[in-house]
Every structure is written in C-alpha cells, then in structure tokens.
Amino acid sequence: MTFNVLTTNAVDLQRLLEENKTTSAQIVEEYLTQIDRYEPALNALISPAPRDKVFATAKARDEERQKGQTRGSFHGIPIVLKDCFVTASELGMSTTAGSYAFVGAKASKNGAITQRLIDAGLIILGKANMTEFAGMKMTMMMPGWSAHGGQTLSPYVGKIGDNEKILGHSTPGGSSTGSAVAVAAGFSPLAMATETIGSIVTPSTRAGLYSLKPTTGVQDTTGLYTMTEFFDSPGPMAKSAADVRVLSEILLGHSLNSPHSGFWEGLSVSFLDPKIWCMSPDYCKQYEGTAEQMVDEYEETVSALRSGGCPVKYPIHCKDPSVLPNTILPIAYWDFKNICIPRFIRSFDECSVTSVADIVKFNNENSGKALPAPFVEQNDLEGAMNTTEEEGKVDELKNDLRKAARDILDDLFDKEKINILAAPGDSPLCRYASAAGYPIATVPVGQLRYNDRPFGLCLVAQADEEETLLRFMGMYEKVAKPRPIPRFRNFE
C-alpha cells in the first residue's frame, strides 16, 4: 500500500504496519525514492545510510514483527538523526558535527540516544546536515551550512535570497535545519535534533513541524555532540503532535499519558504580544506584508483556541530577555572547550583531533575545504580555544543566569496562573527557555504569502512539564489549520 510521504505521519505508518497493509521495507523504499528525487537540490543529508544496510534492517524489523516481537510503538519506522548523534561505524554513516576535522573518525559504539532509538526498533535512514558545530565556528555563519555538508535549503522556498539576513525569510534557520528539512520534504517521518538556543525552534517552525526540546539535563547525552552542557537538549521533530509524543516517550523512557480526562482541563496559556516579541531586523529583514501577516495569523490562532475552549490570556507582558545577564558567550566557550568537545572526541575510537586547538589548527591547514568563502573565519572556535575562565567562575555565571531566567518565568507563570507561555516562533522566547533549562515546543501556524515560508508558535513550560506541552500540542492540532506542505516550486 502506497502512502504520501509529505503528509503521512509515523503513527499512521505504525497503524498500516499493524494491519499488515505495508512493510517496513516498503516504507523505506518510498522515503528513499523521495530522497533520490529532492536531496540533490535540498542538501538535507550529510551522510545517507548505505542502502543495503537500511533494507537489511527494515527486513529484520519486518521479520521480528511477523514473530510478534515488536520492540516498541515505532518498531520499523524510519528516522533521520542530526549529524551530532554518534553512530557506530559499522552502520556506514559518519558523525562529524559538520566539520571536516571529524571526517574519518571511527566509533565502535552508538551514542546513548542512538542506541535507545535502535533498541526501540527505529530504522536510521541517514544523518542530517547541520550548522557546523551548531554555530560554534564563526559569528553570523548561515544556518544549515557546514564545510563538510554545504548549505541546506528550504523545500518551501528554495534558494536563499541574495544579501539575505542570517535568519531572513528565505533561510531554513537554526543548526538543526537538515533534520527539519528532511521531515518536511518527505525524506523521513521523524527526525532527531538538538537545541542550544533556537536550534530546534527556528528550523521546525520554518518547516511547519511539531517539535519538542525537553528539559535540559534529563537525557543521557553520552555519544552526542552538544555545543554546551548548560543550554543544550536533544529532541524530536515530526509532522504531528502524536508523533512527537511517542518519540518523546521513547527518549525520556517513561509514559507521558495525561492524567486529565477533559479536553483543555489543566491547561492555561498566555500569549505574548507578537508586535513586541518578534525577530530583530538585524537578523530578519521584513518584506511587504510579511510582518503584518504573521501578526494577523497569530491573533487568528489565539481566537481559534479561545473558540475551541482553550483558556487563553492575550496579550500579556514579559520582560525582554535583554534583562538577563549577558553571559551566554563565556558559558558557551567554556563548556565547548572543557566539556563538550572532549566528550565528543571520547565517543570515537579513532579521531584525528584531540582538542579545540587541534580543530583550529586543522581548519587553518586545510582552509581550502574547511574555511571556504564566504565562511572563511573561525572566530568562535578561536574564542573557545583561548578562553581562560576558571570553572568556579563559570559555575557562578551559570547559576546566576539560570536563576534570573527562572525567577522571571516562574513569577509570570504564578502571577498569570498559567502553565504555558506562547510567542511567535520568530521571537527571543527561546532565549528564556534555554537560560532557564525549561522545555520548549513548536506548532505550525501558517505560511507567508511572500515566499511560502512556514511560521509557527513556540511554547514554554516549567521544568519537567513536557506532558503539559504535549497535551496542548495534541489539542492544538485539532483546532488549527493543517500544517503547510511544500510544493517544491523552485526545484522541479
């Protein structure tokens, strides 16, 4: 039985498998056909899995199913992993975080999350391109670009506009761009991503996806490149709220069944003013009607939720994130140099670099491929290499930033008597979530008339309140417009 790779979600595919209307091998074949058609133009995959290994895995999952030995709710369902999730070399995919310095590195073991997904029966179709080192290379590097993987493009928009701002309307946005594009373009029903500050939120809203960044620190990140220990958290991207829920249960290792019986029972949501909570013109140039359309559809979404019975407050006031301590960069530099790169390197049995200094040296010695125009700098890598902050001082910076963010958000949650705070996806709310270590999710809203680029909402809850966000996402999907489907107008 054939299905539409652009609209069918993983829950639907699992139902088809349970009803013996398709097989995992047939499902894989449909996605690989779509990859063959559009990957050359989109450049979403930095390391596709070898076809023979993918089909062998799919057939093995089919045989297990026939014997009644399913491993979990997504047994035999394909997934794409961002190129920061370590995969054992025997699987035939590299893990480079987008950097040439890690090409050829060999790992005998999968990372903890990679292994968790495999144990749950998912089939890895490939590794997704990402902003190199999740942006920890040079300031103002285009999201979705890496020296090793090139530039990923949006299936909705196509070519990035000339002189486009770093998060302009034609850019796919955020370091997890390849993961988001892979799902939106029908390369896979599911993808794994990571977020430091906006790296899941921005690309998923620009691909019309549902996604979740869980509470920082609740998952085992062994065998995973993260830019920081303080801000980063891995999470799922998908075309439906139900898919995000099931994949989140696999990742978090426990059921997320709601204790509430009523539709909106236990949920209360406040929306920030979209005219205030929007993207700075330094990062995104607005064109005729783009800002106005996003505000109009944001307010239409608020009205639709109210009409659907959701307890909504709009608009409410929240302090701008500029009031938070300006310590993101020193924290990121220190974590990257002293925790994250050493831990990433330890994931490999063979690796040509042993430190940030080695990476900087490698890039200088191989500048033709590692530092190609226009991204010829590595000022952030050098900044991290040269950081001399004491660990105790950095711990103070972390504690102060986390407390400041949580105090502001917790006061707002308490004062407004809400458990979800919502804002446009193109807003700095993700900075609060990252500083606080709180979970943040996305849902799609609409599509710009200007160039078809999707846009959406981001939603923050307090620590360990993933279930609250997932309940809202599931209810939201019932009252919202269908998510936008790419038309590939610029690729035919």
Side-chain angles (χ1 to χ4, degrees):
M1 180 178 180
T2 59
F3 60 92
N4 187 335
V5 292
L6 295 175
T7 57
T8 307
N9 64 39
V11 170
D12 293 335
L13 290 174
Q14 190 60 251
R15 191 176 303 116
L16 292 175
L17 286 167
E18 290 168 354
E19 294 171 355
N20 292 317
K21 292 180 178 177
T22 190
T23 64
S24 291
Q26 290 168 338
I27 288 171
V28 161
E29 191 163 12
E30 292 287 333
Y31 286 112
L32 294 180
T33 298
Q34 183 77 349
I35 289 169
D36 288 342
R37 185 176 183 187
Y38 289 112
E39 170 58 14
L42 295 177
N43 208 35
L45 301 179
I46 196 170
S47 182
R51 298 287 170 97
D52 59 336
K53 291 183 181 292
V54 172
F55 278 113
T57 302
K59 288 173 182 174
R61 297 296 85 81
D62 284 333
E63 289 171 4
E64 288 172 352
R65 181 179 294 279
Q66 288 165 10
K67 296 174 183 176
Q69 299 171 349
T70 54
R71 302 182 180 201
S73 299
F74 278 164
H75 180 100
I77 300 295
I79 191 168
V80 164
L81 309 184
K82 186 176 179 179
D83 189 37
C84 52
F85 291 84
V86 174
T87 46
S89 298
E90 67 178 13
L91 298 183
M93 296 168 280
S94 60
T95 309
T96 69
S99 170
Y100 269 114
F102 285 89
V103 173
K106 290 183 169 51
S108 58
K109 290 173 57 180
N110 292 308
I113 291 175
T114 303
Q115 191 61 51
R116 180 180 284 269
L117 295 168
I118 291 171
D119 290 345
L122 285 103
I123 302 166
I124 302 171
L125 290 183
K127 307 290 273 298
N129 193 24
M130 59 182 281
T131 313
E132 190 166 345
F133 290 127
M136 184 58 83
K137 187 180 185 184
M138 66 168 282
T139 307
M140 305 302 276
M141 185 167 62
M142 186 60 72
W145 181 87
S146 67
H148 179 41
Q151 180 66 57
T152 300
L153 299 179
S154 164
Y156 298 87
V157 180
K159 181 178 177 291
I160 295 173
D162 295 336
N163 302 313
E164 182 68 278
K165 298 283 189 179
I166 192 168
L167 289 173
H169 289 312
S170 64
T171 69
S175 76
S176 301
T177 289
S179 298
V181 169
V183 176
F187 294 175
S188 172
L190 303 167
M192 282 300 300
T194 64
E195 169 154 332
T196 306
I197 304 172
S199 299
I200 289 176
V201 168
T202 307
S204 60
T205 54
R206 290 174 178 230
L209 301 179
Y210 293 81
S211 67
L212 176 68
K213 176 193 182 184
T215 304
T216 303
V218 300
Q219 298 176 79
D220 184 351
T221 55
T222 305
L224 171 68
Y225 165 76
T226 54
M227 185 200 291
T228 75
E229 185 177 57
F230 181 77
F231 297 110
D232 289 51
S233 183
M237 293 175 166
K239 293 192 283 288
S240 75
D243 284 5
V244 174
R245 173 179 287 275
V246 174
L247 194 48
S248 296
E249 290 180 334
I250 293 169
L251 294 169
L252 299 177
H254 59 82
S255 172
L256 290 166
N257 291 331
S258 170
H260 299 280
S261 56
F263 289 117
W264 296 103
E265 182 187 348
L267 294 175
S268 50
V269 190
S270 281
F271 282 77
L272 297 170
D273 189 336
K275 298 184 183 70
I276 298 171
W277 288 78
C278 55
M279 194 165 284
S280 164
D282 293 339
Y283 296 102
C284 181
K285 177 184 176 182
Q286 298 294 342
Y287 299 93
E288 184 177 356
T290 52
E292 293 80 2
Q293 182 191 350
M294 286 192 285
V295 169
D296 287 346
E297 296 199 30
Y298 182 87
E299 294 184 334
E300 288 171 9
T301 299
V302 172
S303 297
L305 287 168
R306 273 199 181 120
S307 299
C310 179
V312 172
K313 294 184 178 182
Y314 170 75
I316 67 158
H317 173 73
C318 178
K319 295 176 182 177
D320 186 272
S322 62
V323 303
L324 295 173
N326 186 23
T327 52
I328 290 174
L329 210 52
I331 290 171
Y333 280 173
W334 194 93
D335 273 12
F336 180 82
K337 176 184 179 179
N338 295 291
I339 299 175
C340 298
I341 281 295
R343 184 170 59 193
F344 185 52
I345 290 170
R346 287 196 300 271
S347 302
F348 301 102
D349 301 275
E350 296 178 29
C351 187
S352 63
V353 292
T354 61
S355 65
V356 176
D358 276 1
I359 297 168
V360 170
K361 180 182 178 184
F362 175 93
N363 289 343
N364 284 328
E365 292 177 350
N366 299 273
S367 59
K369 63 180 182 180
L371 300 168
F375 307 118
V376 297
E377 299 176 12
Q378 51 178 339
N379 61 301
D380 281 327
L381 280 174
E382 291 165 349
M385 177 180 69
N386 295 324
T387 187
T388 56
E389 293 277 13
E390 295 291 329
E391 183 176 1
K393 175 61 176 176
V394 174
D395 286 342
E396 286 181 22
L397 297 180
K398 291 178 178 179
N399 291 335
D400 289 347
L401 180 56
R402 183 131 294 165
K403 183 178 186 305
R406 289 193 171 190
D407 283 351
I408 290 171
L409 290 178
D410 290 350
D411 181 65
L412 194 62
F413 283 121
D414 183 59
K415 183 178 71 176
E416 297 291 339
K417 294 182 171 51
I418 58 169
N419 51 20
I420 294 176
L421 181 62
D426 282 4
S427 78
L429 184 58
C430 59
R431 287 176 58 192
Y432 263 127
S434 290
Y438 284 174
I440 187 167
T442 70
V443 295
V445 169
Q447 197 169 11
L448 290 177
R449 290 184 288 270
Y450 167 72
N451 67 350
D452 283 354
R453 195 270 277 184
F455 56 95
L457 300 178
C458 59
L459 312 148
V460 174
Q462 290 173 294
D464 303 313
E465 288 294 324
E466 286 81 11
E467 167 58 34
T468 301
L469 293 173
L470 290 164
R471 281 195 63 228
F472 175 85
M473 293 161 71
M475 290 302 300
Y476 174 90
E477 196 170 16
K478 295 176 182 178
V479 301
K481 295 180 294 187
R483 59 172 295 274
I485 309 302
R487 292 184 284 178
F488 301 96
R489 292 187 305 176
N490 301 315
F491 298 110
E492 297 291 354

